[in-house]
Amino acid sequence: MGQTIIEKILSSHSGQEARAGDIVVAELDYVMGQDGTAPLAIRAFADLGGKDVFDRERVAFVIDHSAPSPNEGVSALHKLMREFSREKGFKLYDIGEGVCHQLLPESGEVGPGSLVIGADSHTCTYGALNAFSTGVGSTDLAGGLISGKMWFKVPGTIKFVCNGVLPPGVYSKDLILYLIGRVTADGATYMAVEFTGEAIGALSQEARFTISNMAIEMGAKAGLMEADDKTFAWLRRFTSRKFTPVTADPDAVYTRVLECDAAKLEPQVARPHRVDNVVPVSGAAGKPVQQAVIGTCTNGRLEDLRIAAGILGGRKIHRDVRLIVAPSSRRVFLDAMAEGIIQTLVEAGAVMVTPGCGPCVGTHNGVPSDGETVISTANRNFKGRMGNSNAEIYLASPATVAASAVTGKITDPREFI
Amino acid sequence: MYFKGKAHKFGDDVNTDYIISGKYKFKTLDMKELAKHVMEDLEPGFYQKVAVGDFIVAGSNFGCGSSREQAPLAIKYADVGAVLARSFARIFYRNAINTGLPVVECDTAQIEAGDELSIDLEAGVINNRSKGTLIPVKPLPAVMIKILKDGGLAPHFRKHGGFNFD
């Protein structure tokens, strides 16, 4: 009987044949914490009796969620992280370097076949690099920092077969929103998912990250893809390390197989206050927005900024809209500058904020007012997510957000292409 | 482990932002302070309403969303005895076990707000004393029982010097 991708990665990292339902203790290739979770992990590290991290080269902290610090409480926790990483001798990415889920792939430390834990639920992003990466809490993170290991229940896998190719104006964000709407927010709880099919193969590597990033929004433990030439070309920009791709066996056993026709897809929007409350953009079009956000670990990459600039070039945002842009890393910011994208965005009226999580988690950089509506490229639209429970958040692709910023209301981006 | 208290009902897909908002959790490691804001976006004043040992009773996918361990900790420090749900999101579930917050998977449709419950985790049964019904509990994986018996992941590590599931 064949194995799925996650069964193979957990087999190679645990030294036993891992099958769905088994419990294994697996070796970790990389362990990451961010400023919302690392401070508690530092406390747990002491509580677990930790002295040193298992391998200084395979551990990192990232200050991205609330960076630069907006108040003294956050400052104290950032200081704690800086002191701990210095004392233990491992890497800390400080303010302005970017979002953890952009920095780890850019570090070259994660690739096909890797097993990574991160104390952030969107750690599943690196599934687009054919890695099993998953989000954990602070105590599991502390256990991983000390031992380089974690226990896992081997999950069953749902396979999505995405046939056809996305039409112009429809992006990977629209595809993943559509799939989440179809299976719902707990449709893949306790499961891994594999994204396959012509539509996935046709996407750029950057666009694929957006899909794996949101696997958690259907409850999944991992959002895996197979590696291809595009994956290896992307990795070669950052590392000369050799990775061995992991493919699913033809006779692998899946819990469920779901097909979709990507060629027929329209731009999608997730309405308040649920990520699975998804409709084609026509179902929300015309709704006035006061704030638009482009960035986050979902859609803050160079390609996303380029798509937004394609719509905003030579135009101005609507007078009643604030447009906030947070590149996902310093490298993305510099590349976008070199390409003239930042010039275009700022001339259109965008406000650039620090590479990092931006206003997504409600700590700074644009907390909406009561009764306001935000359209964002982020991955969550929970009530209060952006710091005000009396505001509404719609989720969409960078193109839809850019088009909506121009018109002042939710708009189908195909009108601009 | 034996618990007794009153049910406070919530719906499906209660995410960790609702349990404790990001606007509070980045600022402090004082869990007693965070506990004052627990569930406030869903039910303002919940912290005041909950008595020591009371239960949060929810539908499916409780604790979905962010990996913040402040979520089970804020519930625990609000003196909630246990969380009962039809199902839990996996990161929250692990975090709860690791930090010693009892989480109970069961058919919560049989429980209404205000019902008086007693739970015997060893026996795997909930007694809904207001309705006079018994509700079975879905057992935990063996690994989690081992961690819970050691008192959480920290005591487990201190006792064994790392993971030990043999």
Side-chain angles (χ1 to χ4, degrees), chain A residues 169 174 267-269 281 311 375 396-405 410-413:
Chain A
D174 300 303
Q268 307 283 310
V269 173
V281 66
I311 289 172
I375 186 160
S397 74
T400 302
V401 173
S404 305
I410 295 177
T411 299
D412 188 331

Side-chain angles (χ1 to χ4, degrees), chain A residues 17 22 36 43 86 94 100 198 201 219 241 245 280-281 328 346 357 385 402 405 411:
Chain A
E17 190 182 292
D22 292 347
R43 183 187 277 183
R86 196 178 302 130
D94 216 314
C100 51
E198 189 186 3
R241 271 180 67 178
V281 66
S328 62
V346 173
C357 302
R385 172 75 179 181
T411 299

